[in-house]
Amino acid sequence: MKLLLICGGQSTEHSISRMSCTNIRKSIKDEISVEVMGITKEGSWYKLADEVRDYASENWLEGATEIKDNFAYLKSFDVVFPALHGLYGEDGTIQGILEMCNVPYVGCRVIDSAAAMDKVVAKKLFNAANIKQVPSLYAFKRYDGEFVIINDDTSEDREIVERVKHDLGLPVFIKASRSGSSVGCYKVTREEDILPRLQEAGQYDRKVLIEKAINATELECAVLGNDDLIVSRVGQILPHGEFYTFESKYEDKQSATCIPARVDQSVQDYIRKMAPIAFKAVDGHGLARCDFFLDNDTGEVYLNEINTLPGFTNISMYPMLMADAGIPTTELVDRLIQLALER
Ligand code: ADP
Ligand code: MG
Ligand code: MG
């Protein structure tokens, strides 16, 4: 069997994908013949040299050859593992190309990837599945540059600051709809910062979510499968810093995780019940990490988001939760490949 592992990508999470791929590559069984393709931040595709095994290293492109006929190249594999995070990787776009090439691939398909990536769209699907979420408003940057809040009746409200104060109260989180790794995500405590932060988030996406800030314990649950799902125990993020920012996720050695979470069993049971419901709500395939907030003030549990291509770095929760469930990463990668082939 010939497998293509794809790493890098054009998103703000390019570097994370390269770290994930180093681990995934190590976990692929010897029987499988593997090629690794790198997508640069600019979007060029390279077949990486066989000798390279640390894709996070600066020399990842040493000895690489540029791929000219992208479709023909993809079609020459039996299965593809697009280990990309964020835009053009986790959002249904590369999945669409793979569908057109008729090559099986690991993970969520087009609509599930796109829906889970887009926080505004995902909210609507989760709502329809009766999953509790943090109260929010949906803001939108019109093509004339002005931000408006979209009401359910589709009318536009320009009184953004008033609406935020009235409907949600401060502090709030302002986040770009299609982003990840906390890029374009800000906590806003002061009224005067609402509009500037909205503009900043708007640089990543014209759709922006404004959410009531929760005094949250962050809890994560991993699912694996197509029809029948394996649901992991619940893990807890212990972020260092004000919230789980890009830096606290990947650079701050004081951020930590623990499995199982140090919260009531009833909370864990509830999350394990809701994670597959969230996965099915976006019509998920293969894998996802479902992230929840426990509101420390009220005891309420909310679904925050689901990530259809969660990190596989050394400190990533998805492979740790699966290992805890008795599926070490070598077996996990193998099962993901089988799940890609079975559909
Ligand atoms: P991303 O897809 O970038 O991970 P998230 O919605 O998970 O986006 O937000 C990133 C982080 O910001 C979360 O892990 C959490 O630390 C914090 N956060 C986001 N929304 C809220 C909220 N409503 N209340 C409290 N913290 C939040
Ligand atoms: Mg995310
Ligand atoms: Mg998140």
Side-chain angles (χ1 to χ4, degrees):
M1 182 161 59
K2 265 185 85 181
L3 177 142
L4 178 68
L5 177 62
I6 310 181
C7 72
Q10 289 168 267
S11 80
T12 49
E13 294 165 271
H14 173 98
S15 61
I16 314 304
S17 161
R18 284 167 55 189
M19 291 193 257
S20 292
C21 277
T22 301
N23 285 337
I24 294 168
R25 176 70 187 86
K26 272 192 258 180
S27 306
I28 299 171
K29 282 206 221 139
D30 291 340
E31 300 94 275
I32 300 178
S33 105
V34 186
E35 267 183 39
V36 183
M37 181 176 112
I39 301 182
T40 63
K41 284 185 186 161
E42 295 71 37
S44 301
W45 293 19
Y46 287 92
K47 173 188 179 321
L48 302 189
D50 264 349
E51 304 75 60
V52 178
R53 288 299 162 95
D54 177 6
Y55 308 107
S57 119
E58 273 177 37
N59 310 327
W60 72 310
L61 290 179
E62 220 164 76
T65 43
E66 189 162 3
I67 295 159
K68 297 278 188 254
D69 191 343
N70 301 10
F71 271 56
Y73 182 69
L74 293 178
K75 282 181 183 174
S76 70
F77 293 92
D78 300 309
V79 64
V80 175
F81 195 145
L84 303 167
H85 310 304
L87 284 186
Y88 306 116
E90 199 172 349
D91 65 347
T93 53
I94 187 100
Q95 289 77 9
I97 292 175
L98 293 164
E99 292 284 345
M100 293 185 77
C101 291
N102 204 20
V103 192
Y105 56 91
V106 168
C108 283
R109 303 187 71 168
V110 175
I111 189 83
D112 26 351
S113 302
M117 180 82 211
D118 189 321
K119 296 185 197 303
V120 170
V121 171
K123 277 240 175 216
K124 292 179 185 168
L125 292 173
F126 295 146
N127 236 349
N130 291 317
I131 305 171
K132 265 182 279 174
Q133 298 175 87
V134 177
S136 65
L137 290 166
Y138 164 30
F140 186 87
K141 186 160 73 177
R142 291 166 44 91
Y143 284 114
D144 61 17
E146 192 179 355
F147 265 102
V148 291
I149 282 177
I150 309 283
N151 300 310
D152 289 339
D153 62 7
T154 76
S155 63
E156 297 178 352
D157 190 346
R158 287 176 161 68
E159 302 300 323
I160 294 186
V161 175
E162 286 314 309
R163 274 296 290 281
V164 170
K165 277 168 38 188
H166 177 267
D167 292 15
L168 307 174
L170 286 165
V172 290
F173 269 82
I174 294 187
K175 38 192 177 182
S177 186
R178 286 164 294 186
S179 191
S181 289
S182 306
V183 175
C185 171
Y186 313 97
K187 184 172 182 179
V188 175
T189 313
R190 301 183 317 170
E191 182 180 332
E192 59 270 34
D193 293 334
I194 295 175
L195 293 178
R197 287 307 203 185
L198 206 55
Q199 288 294 346
E200 277 183 61
Q203 289 172 5
Y204 297 95
D205 194 345
R206 66 194 290 243
K207 294 158 75 172
V208 177
L209 204 57
I210 309 174
E211 239 174 46
K212 184 174 155 61
I214 301 297
N215 169 13
T217 298
E218 300 195 45
L219 302 167
E220 305 188 342
C221 183
V223 299
L224 172 69
N226 288 331
D227 292 321
D228 304 318
L229 304 177
I230 291 169
V231 180
S232 75
R233 292 207 289 178
V234 176
Q236 181 173 350
I237 305 288
L238 305 162
H240 185 247
E242 208 195 352
F243 69 100
Y244 208 31
T245 59
F246 187 89
E247 292 71 28
S248 67
K249 277 178 186 172
Y250 303 110
E251 288 155 17
D252 191 334
K253 297 273 181 295
Q254 292 187 65
S255 287
T257 51
C258 73
I259 304 171
R262 296 173 200 151
V263 298
D264 282 357
Q265 191 59 46
S266 61
V267 170
Q268 298 185 48
D269 293 345
Y270 177 75
I271 287 175
R272 296 191 70 224
K273 185 179 96 183
M274 296 318 279
I277 296 176
F279 187 68
K280 295 288 182 186
V282 298
D283 192 20
H285 289 81
L287 77 163
R289 197 192 68 226
C290 307
D291 298 351
F292 294 80
F293 292 144
L294 164 64
D295 186 327
N296 296 322
D297 300 330
T298 64
E300 198 77 68
V301 178
Y302 300 104
L303 175 67
N304 174 34
E305 60 160 348
I306 85 172
N307 292 290
T308 55
L309 249 154
F312 275 75
T313 69
N314 288 333
I315 53 151
S316 290
M317 188 65 110
Y318 187 86
M320 287 198 280
L321 285 170
M322 279 297 149
D324 173 73
I327 306 175
T329 307
T330 350
E331 193 185 330
L332 174 60
V333 168
D334 204 52
R335 287 206 196 191
L336 288 168
I337 295 166
Q338 295 313 319
L339 288 165
L341 295 172
E342 87 172 22
R343 62 188 196 217

